[in-house]
Amino acid sequence: MSASEAVTDALRDLHARFAGVREGERADYIPELARSDADDFGLALVSMDGHRYSAGAAGTPFTLQSVSKPFVYALALSSLGLDEVGRWVGAEPSGEAFNAISLEPRTGRPANAMVNAGAIVTTALVPDRPDAPAFTRVLTALSRFAGRKLDVDEEVYGSEAATGDRNRALAYLIRSTGTLPVDPVAAVDTYFRQCAVRVTAVDLAVMAATLAHGGVNPVTGEAVVSADVAAQVLAVMATCGMYNSSGDWLLRVGLPAKSGVSGGLIAAGPARFGLAAYSPLLDAAGTSVRGRAALGALSERLGLHLMRNPALPGSTVTLATTADVLPSAPSGRRERALRERVGVVAAQGALDFTAAERVLFALDESGPGQVGSVVLDLREVTGADSVALALLHAGLARLARDGRRAAVVDPGNRLGPPDLVRERTGQDLPRYGSREEAVERCAQAMAGPV
Ligand code: GLN
């Protein structure tokens, strides 16, 4: 556990850097929130393997507030699908504060599920079931995202219920347009309860990591929502999660995120990390000041900005050459001449579309013109997704049509079952267990006459 302490050290550094920031105010329109400790400051990071790191007050409980919104949206999307949910709540940034009357003219549909109006509708879309009242369903979903059984802070719930007239007014306004499918009083009550669910910064980082990990909680391994739903939620977080500072956040930090008035803040680096911060002092947009600074700095430090996603050079194709220059090439002139016409390409790692394109390009570059043959060595390939496979098969089919013979070194069957490869490439691609054997056979075939 000591090498990975370096990750914790990175969090501790950021914690130390921003702990002294004193700007901002605690939310006081929910009286109970004004009693939180302004000095509390916690940071947490969870990897896609479920490794948890934290610094500061990362185990201190606080209430979810608006950070609940993306997760209840996920529940609604899972139950009803995007089209049905989209009939009731939009997916456009409102450019307004969280509690604004963001309702589409004519239809009364809230702009998105991240502002209060949209979140109240989203919650209303999760109806009671005979076996589970709506709030039980919400709490169960939130708990699965966090990977542990969460509960409600009754004081905070009572405090908001006693003072939440603006949210009630929003619910009535929405119903007055005929949009809200259920009773506004019940919907707002469930919404207040979901906002009062108690979590820690570590819980939040696990929840964010679950979205970043295609809906599978990386700590418990449970598939909480589908990969499609996780992507839909992250998309709406990216455009709407930070209210009227969403554009600026995406520009500077580049991550889907969600803030809440208790001082919780999450950000998700898809396929990378779930990040969370807790610090109650808020800026004018209702976002934790230290949280915003720390997660912004963390994104920069870890290179997480979504729009800046550099491909690592040399990460897929490790060799693209002709067989005569391999150290194992025999020294005879005739053998060398034959081997000059045998291309050799070796690839490594996990292949997606991007990586498969590199492999195909390397196949083209590896031999002189359109003649000869080529050996594709896939021994170091760890896997290929269906899109990569389809592209590789199509590329090998084209190669064959151009008259270039291919052979693969593929003891692990990374190219897929031989039947499928035959069907897709239109040939019986010779497969070998070692590169040397494949090169030798190709060189002999060059010697012809066949
Ligand atoms: N419970 C709060 C409200 O509805 C949540 C708002 C927020 O966290 N931005 O007003």
Side-chain angles (χ1 to χ4, degrees), residues 28-323:
D28 56 6
Y29 70 98
I30 301 173
E32 194 65 21
L33 292 184
R35 295 156 53 118
S36 59
D37 185 343
D39 286 332
D40 274 347
F41 181 29
L43 292 174
L45 176 154
V46 172
S47 77
M48 298 297 91
D49 305 303
H51 307 153
R52 282 171 279 191
Y53 303 91
S54 61
T60 301
F62 55 93
T63 54
L64 267 177
Q65 299 303 333
S66 287
V67 182
S68 63
K69 292 169 180 172
F71 301 100
V72 178
Y73 186 51
L75 174 61
L77 288 170
S78 292
S79 321
L80 302 172
L82 186 56
D83 290 343
E84 179 62 18
V85 171
R87 285 180 55 203
W88 305 107
V89 53
E92 295 302 334
S94 64
E96 294 183 299
F98 67 91
N99 57 4
I101 307 174
S102 283
L103 307 178
E104 200 172 59
R106 267 184 329 105
T107 64
R109 197 173 63 139
N112 65 70
M114 302 297 121
V115 294
N116 287 10
I120 292 168
V121 171
T122 308
T123 300
L125 291 175
V126 180
D128 291 323
R129 275 207 193 134
D131 56 327
F135 182 66
T136 306
R137 296 179 62 198
V138 167
L139 187 62
T140 304
L142 294 171
S143 298
R144 292 170 74 202
F145 272 109
R148 73 177 182 94
K149 215 167 172 326
L150 302 176
D151 63 4
V152 173
D153 184 325
E154 293 294 339
E155 260 84 68
V156 174
Y157 161 73
S159 183
E160 183 160 15
T163 55
D165 286 339
R166 188 175 175 94
N167 283 321
R168 276 189 207 99
L170 272 174
Y172 278 104
L173 259 182
I174 296 162
R175 195 181 59 170
S176 73
T177 66
T179 309
L180 197 65
V182 297
D183 175 10
V185 174
V188 170
D189 188 66
T190 308
Y191 168 74
F192 287 158
R193 280 192 180 278
Q194 87 184 38
C195 287
V197 168
R198 216 180 331 229
V199 290
T200 66
V202 173
D203 291 328
L204 284 191
V206 175
M207 295 171 87
T210 301
L211 290 176
H213 193 231
V216 177
N217 184 316
V219 176
T220 63
E222 186 182 5
V224 181
V225 291
S226 69
D228 284 345
V229 165
Q232 288 158 1
V233 172
L234 289 174
V236 175
M237 284 167 64
T239 50
C240 311
M242 302 294 274
Y243 311 120
N244 44 341
S245 63
S246 297
D248 190 63
W249 174 270
L250 190 59
L251 175 66
R252 292 174 197 278
V253 181
L255 292 175
K258 187 73 204 78
S259 60
V261 286
S262 54
L265 175 62
I266 59 171
R272 293 176 174 177
F273 296 110
L275 311 176
Y278 169 59
S279 172
L281 298 178
L282 308 179
D283 65 14
T287 299
S288 166
V289 176
R290 290 179 197 151
R292 190 191 59 199
L295 293 197
L298 198 55
S299 169
E300 194 176 330
R301 186 158 177 170
L302 306 183
L304 296 180
H305 197 300
L306 278 184
M307 308 306 166
R308 197 177 164 281
N309 216 341
L312 300 176
S315 59
T316 303
V317 174
T318 52
L319 186 71
T321 185
T322 48

